[in-house]
Amino acid sequence: MAANEASPAARTAALFPGQGVQRPGLGAPWSTSRAWELVEEVSQAADLDVAHLLLEADADHLARTDRAQLAVFTASLLSWRSLEDVADFASDTYVHAGHSLGEYTALVAAGALSAYDGARLVAARGRAMARAARSEPGAMAAVTAGQAATEVLVAEVRVDHPALWLANFNGPRQTVVAGAPDAVEALGRRAEILGVACTRLAVSAACHTPLMGPAAEELAQALESVEFAPVHAPVVANVDAAVHTRGADWPALCLAQLTGPVHWHGVLGTLRDTAGCARLLDVGPGRTMAGLARRAVPELAVQRADQLLPSPV
């Protein structure tokens, strides 16, 4: 077995969501749980009142990229920590994967990073991305078409609007594009002519494209300041859809993810085929990960983490 392959015994994958699932009161389900002590640790690392983000912030306050990312990271980690109180939960049998921002939660859950260092990276990444978006505003849109069809559509639009890229390969029938606002708007018009559904996303940044390049230096400095574990539980990376178990891999992978596409459909395929997972567990707020998994790998069992937790949390 290659050094970076998952053990056949690891039969369940924990999936962590990215930005977009934030909402007011995000942390309420865990506010009285033993896991809540984590919030103070994240607040200290990020130099921000994360409890306010999770319990009191309104939608407008959470709309800013850096705040949204910290809120989703912390809520997802609270969900994971709460699972440790379940009697038959064995965290060391899991493979991990996270969509975009969720990859940082996956790294903490897998033991590649401490929660403190994970929060420092998320805070730095969010700040850097917010600054890059203010300097070079962007847009994103979800196209209800596969990768090949969307690549053709992007190529047509790029003739007149070159600042346009494929950002997320989410499944067999969903691909996300990102770029300059005028380019994404032009793609939407072209998609409508062709009868292809195209939904603009509520973001002002072109995530996972070269427009995030200005954020790379700040993230690189943050990555140099944290300590990755030499060896950790398996994590399937966004940028190459490969299983990684060595901490030394992640600085380069995190930087590549900032400006390159998320191969989520490939990640799910790796969890099924290489990691041998029979079950996928959607950990954290929202139902996005479960929905994508059910469409992309319908042969696998999919559960929500809250189905395993006692009620109330």
Side-chain angles (χ1 to χ4, degrees):
M1 179 179 293
N4 262 14
E5 287 187 4
S7 163
R11 299 289 294 170
T12 300
L15 309 181
F16 299 92
Q19 184 179 343
V21 300
Q22 68 274 5
R23 64 181 187 277
L26 191 65
W30 302 283
S31 62
T32 60
S33 73
R34 190 166 64 92
W36 189 255
E37 63 188 25
L38 175 75
V39 175
E40 179 60 28
E41 183 178 1
V42 173
S43 296
Q44 290 179 0
D47 193 23
L48 194 69
D49 185 354
V50 176
H52 174 76
L53 291 180
L54 294 175
L55 299 177
E56 301 170 10
D58 60 21
D60 288 341
H61 191 80
L62 287 171
R64 207 170 78 179
T65 294
D66 51 344
R67 295 168 182 160
Q69 292 192 24
L70 269 173
V72 173
F73 167 81
T74 309
S76 299
L77 201 52
L78 284 168
S79 179
W80 177 254
R81 288 284 177 88
S82 295
L83 287 171
E84 294 176 350
D85 290 333
V86 178
D88 61 349
F89 182 73
S91 61
D92 59 349
T93 67
Y94 277 68
V95 183
H96 305 268
H99 192 285
S100 186
L101 159 72
E103 189 159 81
Y104 290 80
T105 323
L107 288 170
V108 175
L113 283 170
S114 67
Y116 189 88
D117 278 351
R120 289 177 61 204
L121 289 181
V122 169
R125 179 181 187 265
R127 289 192 301 264
M129 290 176 68
R131 276 194 281 271
R134 287 194 294 271
S135 174
E136 189 79 57
M140 303 180 77
V143 181
T144 307
Q147 179 177 340
T150 308
E151 284 176 343
V152 171
L153 184 57
V154 167
E156 292 175 354
V157 175
R158 290 189 73 178
V159 172
D160 297 315
H161 302 275
L164 183 67
W165 297 270
L166 287 88
N168 299 341
F169 305 115
N170 284 337
R173 295 289 296 167
Q174 189 193 94
T175 306
V176 175
V177 300
D182 64 327
V184 175
E185 184 177 346
L187 183 136
R189 292 195 299 269
R190 179 61 179 160
E192 184 177 6
I193 291 171
L194 297 175
V196 176
C198 181
T199 304
R200 188 79 169 255
L201 303 182
V203 298
S204 58
C207 303
H208 305 294
T209 75
L211 293 186
M212 284 291 107
E217 182 177 353
E218 186 172 343
L219 179 58
Q221 291 175 351
L223 286 163
E224 290 176 358
S225 72
V226 302
E227 184 176 352
F228 287 89
V231 179
H232 56 77
V235 180
V236 182
N238 284 189
V239 298
D240 60 6
V243 181
H244 294 267
T245 58
R246 295 189 295 261
D249 295 348
W250 287 102
L253 289 168
C254 289
L255 282 174
Q257 191 230 62
L258 184 68
T259 57
V262 171
H263 294 271
W264 191 248
H265 192 196
V267 167
L268 293 174
T270 297
L271 290 170
R272 177 194 60 202
D273 300 332
T274 304
C277 294
R279 182 178 67 138
L280 306 177
L281 186 65
D282 183 352
V283 183
R287 300 177 180 272
T288 301
M289 295 296 92
L292 290 175
R294 289 188 178 107
R295 289 188 289 273
V297 283
E299 66 276 20
L300 298 187
V302 179
Q303 279 187 292
R304 289 273 306 129
D306 54 22
Q307 294 175 304
L308 304 183
L309 293 171
S311 183
V313 176

